[in-house]
Amino acid sequence: MDISNAPLLIFIAYGPILPSALANILFGLYLSRYRLTSMIEALSRSSHIAMRAGTVDSGGLLGRMMLVSKISGMVTLSGLVIRSGELSADDIANFPSRVMRLAKVKFFSRRFRSCGS
């Protein structure tokens, strides 16, 4: 194998992963900037989220994005989280449907990208 073909092979192997990773980061930024407050308000009975909601302002951008990822996982896998006692069933029932769709897209886009690599 010739070393001059290495950049081309790297691009072929990792090319589709990089744009999807960038899109996932940008979507997480959007959710953390415009939808995080409605997510936190909808999950007001959850002790797990209420404990972390106080540190949203001091956590910075990375802390907000991590909280969005946590909430998207909790909303998507709500049955498991309700059984473990971290989330109230009333919170999921009253969660805004548009924000729930966005959270599920965030959760599955991250999983889809990790399966491809």
Side-chain angles (χ1 to χ4, degrees), residues 32 36-37 40 49 52-61 63-64 67:
S32 68
L36 183 60
T37 55
I40 291 173
I49 297 300
R52 285 172 172 66
T55 62
V56 169
D57 295 331
S58 63
L61 181 63
R64 288 193 310 265
L67 187 58

Side-chain angles (χ1 to χ4, degrees), residues 101-112:
R101 266 195 319 271
L102 293 173
K104 287 181 179 183
V105 167
K106 171 73 175 151
F107 180 79
F108 285 117
S109 69
R110 185 177 64 220
R111 296 302 176 261
F112 177 71

Side-chain angles (χ1 to χ4, degrees), residues 13 22 66 88 99 107:
L22 181 63
M66 289 175 64
S88 170
V99 178
F107 180 79

Side-chain angles (χ1 to χ4, degrees), residues 1-95:
M1 178 174 169
D2 188 18
I3 192 81
S4 63
N5 292 335
L8 179 64
L9 292 175
I10 290 172
F11 179 75
I12 290 171
Y14 294 108
I17 296 171
L18 296 177
S20 68
L22 181 63
N24 193 10
I25 290 170
L26 292 175
F27 189 57
L29 285 171
Y30 166 75
L31 288 177
S32 68
R33 174 70 172 102
Y34 296 106
R35 303 291 182 188
L36 183 60
T37 55
S38 63
M39 288 179 175
I40 291 173
E41 289 171 1
L43 299 176
S44 61
R45 291 184 204 101
S46 169
S47 61
H48 193 72
I49 297 300
M51 184 171 55
R52 285 172 172 66
T55 62
V56 169
D57 295 331
S58 63
L61 181 63
L62 184 62
R64 288 193 310 265
M65 288 183 65
M66 289 175 64
L67 187 58
V68 164
S69 292
K70 178 71 175 172
I71 291 173
S72 67
M74 290 177 80
V75 167
T76 305
L77 304 173
S78 59
L80 296 172
V81 182
I82 289 171
R83 281 193 292 267
S84 70
E86 293 180 22
L87 188 61
S88 170
D90 295 333
D91 285 346
I92 291 296
N94 296 329
F95 203 81

